[in-house]
Amino acid sequence: PCQESQHPPLPMPSGSELVSAAFTEDASTASANPLVALVFKNMPEIAALYRAVAGSWHPVGEVHVPPGLGSRPSLGFDGVEHLLVAGAAGEVHRRHLAGGVPALHPAPAGANAREFRSACALPEGQIMRLTLQRMDASAPWGPELISSA
């Protein structure tokens, strides 16, 4: 069941609007300090990284959000070392948080008939995308999961 987080409130600058966010913590470490990535409307080209330490969030870095991903890029962590940044057209950028080589997972075939909403990494390194799709113009939008390498 859902419950209120025991972590401190997210670091929201006064007057800012949150566009996208992701959360992760290292489950293998009992004393893990969670990590968040936040994209604000006034800074859409940056995912700001914060780590919770001693009851408050502290800035720990930034990840570049590539241009052309739409007004609300989707964020998701792949473990504690990579941030996935997914665009509205279905492309997914995997950014290493320690400055390693970035990777691009292009949109799957037939992407133009879908609205891409989010993406996550599977244990085998594949990417799973959540999309909405219409079979025809009069049909309602329906969810679809697409897995790709």
Side-chain angles (χ1 to χ4, degrees), residues 2 17-19 35 53 58 62 64 72-73 83 101 114 127:
C2 292
E17 182 179 335
L18 187 63
V19 171
L35 181 67
V53 178
H58 301 273
E62 297 175 345
H64 173 71
R72 296 195 180 273
L83 180 67
V101 178
R114 297 176 171 91
I127 299 294

PDB file of all heavy atoms in Angstrom, residues 2 17-19 35 53 58 62 64 72-73 83 101 114 127:
ATOM      1  N   CYS A   2       0.338   2.311  -0.563  1.00  0.00           N
ATOM      2  CA  CYS A   2       1.045   3.587  -0.595  1.00  0.00           C
ATOM      3  C   CYS A   2       1.042   4.224   0.781  1.00  0.00           C
ATOM      4  O   CYS A   2       0.096   4.069   1.556  1.00  0.00           O
ATOM      5  CB  CYS A   2       0.376   4.541  -1.583  1.00  0.00           C
ATOM      6  SG  CYS A   2       0.549   4.022  -3.288  1.00  0.00           S
ATOM      7  N   GLU A  17       8.192  25.345 -11.287  1.00  0.00           N
ATOM      8  CA  GLU A  17       7.216  24.329 -11.677  1.00  0.00           C
ATOM      9  C   GLU A  17       7.979  23.079 -12.087  1.00  0.00           C
ATOM     10  O   GLU A  17       8.839  23.124 -12.966  1.00  0.00           O
ATOM     11  CB  GLU A  17       6.357  24.832 -12.838  1.00  0.00           C
ATOM     12  CG  GLU A  17       5.296  23.848 -13.257  1.00  0.00           C
ATOM     13  CD  GLU A  17       4.439  24.380 -14.408  1.00  0.00           C
ATOM     14  OE1 GLU A  17       4.325  25.605 -14.560  1.00  0.00           O
ATOM     15  OE2 GLU A  17       3.898  23.534 -15.148  1.00  0.00           O
ATOM     16  N   LEU A  18       7.652  21.968 -11.448  1.00  0.00           N
ATOM     17  CA  LEU A  18       8.305  20.699 -11.746  1.00  0.00           C
ATOM     18  C   LEU A  18       7.692  20.099 -13.004  1.00  0.00           C
ATOM     19  O   LEU A  18       6.476  19.973 -13.121  1.00  0.00           O
ATOM     20  CB  LEU A  18       8.131  19.745 -10.556  1.00  0.00           C
ATOM     21  CG  LEU A  18       8.890  18.423 -10.611  1.00  0.00           C
ATOM     22  CD1 LEU A  18      10.391  18.663 -10.619  1.00  0.00           C
ATOM     23  CD2 LEU A  18       8.513  17.576  -9.407  1.00  0.00           C
ATOM     24  N   VAL A  19       8.542  19.718 -13.970  1.00  0.00           N
ATOM     25  CA  VAL A  19       8.095  19.133 -15.228  1.00  0.00           C
ATOM     26  C   VAL A  19       8.197  17.610 -15.175  1.00  0.00           C
ATOM     27  O   VAL A  19       7.329  16.902 -15.656  1.00  0.00           O
ATOM     28  CB  VAL A  19       8.933  19.699 -16.399  1.00  0.00           C
ATOM     29  CG1 VAL A  19       8.654  18.953 -17.694  1.00  0.00           C
ATOM     30  CG2 VAL A  19       8.674  21.169 -16.567  1.00  0.00           C
ATOM     31  N   LEU A  35      18.345   9.264  -4.163  1.00  0.00           N
ATOM     32  CA  LEU A  35      18.750  10.203  -5.190  1.00  0.00           C
ATOM     33  C   LEU A  35      17.515  10.580  -5.997  1.00  0.00           C
ATOM     34  O   LEU A  35      16.690   9.715  -6.300  1.00  0.00           O
ATOM     35  CB  LEU A  35      19.788   9.523  -6.091  1.00  0.00           C
ATOM     36  CG  LEU A  35      20.387  10.297  -7.240  1.00  0.00           C
ATOM     37  CD1 LEU A  35      21.253  11.453  -6.718  1.00  0.00           C
ATOM     38  CD2 LEU A  35      21.237   9.364  -8.102  1.00  0.00           C
ATOM     39  N   VAL A  53      20.694  13.577   2.516  1.00  0.00           N
ATOM     40  CA  VAL A  53      21.709  13.281   3.522  1.00  0.00           C
ATOM     41  C   VAL A  53      21.354  14.066   4.779  1.00  0.00           C
ATOM     42  O   VAL A  53      21.098  15.266   4.703  1.00  0.00           O
ATOM     43  CB  VAL A  53      23.128  13.681   3.043  1.00  0.00           C
ATOM     44  CG1 VAL A  53      24.165  13.419   4.125  1.00  0.00           C
ATOM     45  CG2 VAL A  53      23.496  12.966   1.756  1.00  0.00           C
ATOM     46  N   HIS A  58      20.649  17.593  -0.948  1.00  0.00           N
ATOM     47  CA  HIS A  58      21.850  18.343  -1.310  1.00  0.00           C
ATOM     48  C   HIS A  58      22.137  18.139  -2.801  1.00  0.00           C
ATOM     49  O   HIS A  58      22.069  17.013  -3.292  1.00  0.00           O
ATOM     50  CB  HIS A  58      23.052  17.868  -0.483  1.00  0.00           C
ATOM     51  CG  HIS A  58      22.847  18.026   0.978  1.00  0.00           C
ATOM     52  ND1 HIS A  58      23.142  19.195   1.636  1.00  0.00           N
ATOM     53  CD2 HIS A  58      22.353  17.173   1.912  1.00  0.00           C
ATOM     54  CE1 HIS A  58      22.849  19.048   2.929  1.00  0.00           C
ATOM     55  NE2 HIS A  58      22.354  17.835   3.107  1.00  0.00           N
ATOM     56  N   GLU A  62      24.358  17.458 -12.253  1.00  0.00           N
ATOM     57  CA  GLU A  62      23.374  17.763 -13.290  1.00  0.00           C
ATOM     58  C   GLU A  62      23.574  16.806 -14.444  1.00  0.00           C
ATOM     59  O   GLU A  62      24.683  16.336 -14.685  1.00  0.00           O
ATOM     60  CB  GLU A  62      23.559  19.195 -13.820  1.00  0.00           C
ATOM     61  CG  GLU A  62      23.354  20.273 -12.809  1.00  0.00           C
ATOM     62  CD  GLU A  62      23.665  21.663 -13.369  1.00  0.00           C
ATOM     63  OE1 GLU A  62      24.310  21.760 -14.438  1.00  0.00           O
ATOM     64  OE2 GLU A  62      23.261  22.632 -12.725  1.00  0.00           O
ATOM     65  N   HIS A  64      22.551  16.616 -18.638  1.00  0.00           N
ATOM     66  CA  HIS A  64      22.031  17.351 -19.785  1.00  0.00           C
ATOM     67  C   HIS A  64      20.802  16.642 -20.349  1.00  0.00           C
ATOM     68  O   HIS A  64      20.821  15.438 -20.568  1.00  0.00           O
ATOM     69  CB  HIS A  64      23.114  17.460 -20.856  1.00  0.00           C
ATOM     70  CG  HIS A  64      22.646  18.046 -22.138  1.00  0.00           C
ATOM     71  ND1 HIS A  64      22.318  19.380 -22.278  1.00  0.00           N
ATOM     72  CD2 HIS A  64      22.429  17.489 -23.344  1.00  0.00           C
ATOM     73  CE1 HIS A  64      21.935  19.605 -23.514  1.00  0.00           C
ATOM     74  NE2 HIS A  64      21.991  18.475 -24.189  1.00  0.00           N
ATOM     75  N   ARG A  72       7.701  17.673 -21.893  1.00  0.00           N
ATOM     76  CA  ARG A  72       7.758  16.919 -20.643  1.00  0.00           C
ATOM     77  C   ARG A  72       8.545  15.623 -20.825  1.00  0.00           C
ATOM     78  O   ARG A  72       7.962  14.546 -20.933  1.00  0.00           O
ATOM     79  CB  ARG A  72       6.356  16.607 -20.147  1.00  0.00           C
ATOM     80  CG  ARG A  72       5.565  17.845 -19.796  1.00  0.00           C
ATOM     81  CD  ARG A  72       4.329  17.501 -18.969  1.00  0.00           C
ATOM     82  NE  ARG A  72       3.591  18.689 -18.642  1.00  0.00           N
ATOM     83  CZ  ARG A  72       3.839  19.458 -17.577  1.00  0.00           C
ATOM     84  NH1 ARG A  72       4.792  19.153 -16.765  1.00  0.00           N
ATOM     85  NH2 ARG A  72       3.104  20.519 -17.329  1.00  0.00           N
ATOM     86  N   PRO A  73       9.885  15.724 -20.847  1.00  0.00           N
ATOM     87  CA  PRO A  73      10.661  14.495 -20.966  1.00  0.00           C
ATOM     88  C   PRO A  73      10.425  13.605 -19.750  1.00  0.00           C
ATOM     89  O   PRO A  73      10.192  14.090 -18.649  1.00  0.00           O
ATOM     90  CB  PRO A  73      12.104  14.980 -21.024  1.00  0.00           C
ATOM     91  CG  PRO A  73      12.082  16.312 -20.360  1.00  0.00           C
ATOM     92  CD  PRO A  73      10.724  16.893 -20.657  1.00  0.00           C
ATOM     93  N   LEU A  83      20.792   7.549 -15.626  1.00  0.00           N
ATOM     94  CA  LEU A  83      19.504   8.215 -15.715  1.00  0.00           C
ATOM     95  C   LEU A  83      18.994   8.032 -17.134  1.00  0.00           C
ATOM     96  O   LEU A  83      19.729   8.259 -18.103  1.00  0.00           O
ATOM     97  CB  LEU A  83      19.631   9.709 -15.402  1.00  0.00           C
ATOM     98  CG  LEU A  83      18.333  10.519 -15.460  1.00  0.00           C
ATOM     99  CD1 LEU A  83      17.380  10.090 -14.328  1.00  0.00           C
ATOM    100  CD2 LEU A  83      18.630  12.005 -15.367  1.00  0.00           C
ATOM    101  N   VAL A 101      30.192   7.374 -20.979  1.00  0.00           N
ATOM    102  CA  VAL A 101      29.695   7.581 -22.339  1.00  0.00           C
ATOM    103  C   VAL A 101      28.175   7.436 -22.373  1.00  0.00           C
ATOM    104  O   VAL A 101      27.639   6.430 -21.917  1.00  0.00           O
ATOM    105  CB  VAL A 101      30.343   6.562 -23.301  1.00  0.00           C
ATOM    106  CG1 VAL A 101      29.795   6.721 -24.711  1.00  0.00           C
ATOM    107  CG2 VAL A 101      31.856   6.706 -23.280  1.00  0.00           C
ATOM    108  N   ARG A 114       2.124   6.444 -32.116  1.00  0.00           N
ATOM    109  CA  ARG A 114       2.040   6.283 -30.660  1.00  0.00           C
ATOM    110  C   ARG A 114       2.401   7.581 -29.933  1.00  0.00           C
ATOM    111  O   ARG A 114       3.118   8.412 -30.461  1.00  0.00           O
ATOM    112  CB  ARG A 114       3.006   5.190 -30.202  1.00  0.00           C
ATOM    113  CG  ARG A 114       2.701   3.832 -30.747  1.00  0.00           C
ATOM    114  CD  ARG A 114       3.784   2.839 -30.312  1.00  0.00           C
ATOM    115  NE  ARG A 114       3.398   1.485 -30.658  1.00  0.00           N
ATOM    116  CZ  ARG A 114       3.716   0.896 -31.800  1.00  0.00           C
ATOM    117  NH1 ARG A 114       4.416   1.539 -32.709  1.00  0.00           N
ATOM    118  NH2 ARG A 114       3.332  -0.345 -32.040  1.00  0.00           N
ATOM    119  N   ILE A 127      15.229  -1.792 -23.004  1.00  0.00           N
ATOM    120  CA  ILE A 127      14.405  -0.646 -22.612  1.00  0.00           C
ATOM    121  C   ILE A 127      12.942  -1.026 -22.786  1.00  0.00           C
ATOM    122  O   ILE A 127      12.551  -1.557 -23.817  1.00  0.00           O
ATOM    123  CB  ILE A 127      14.729   0.591 -23.477  1.00  0.00           C
ATOM    124  CG1 ILE A 127      16.195   1.017 -23.307  1.00  0.00           C
ATOM    125  CG2 ILE A 127      13.788   1.741 -23.166  1.00  0.00           C
ATOM    126  CD1 ILE A 127      16.534   1.527 -21.924  1.00  0.00           C
TER     127      ILE A 127
END
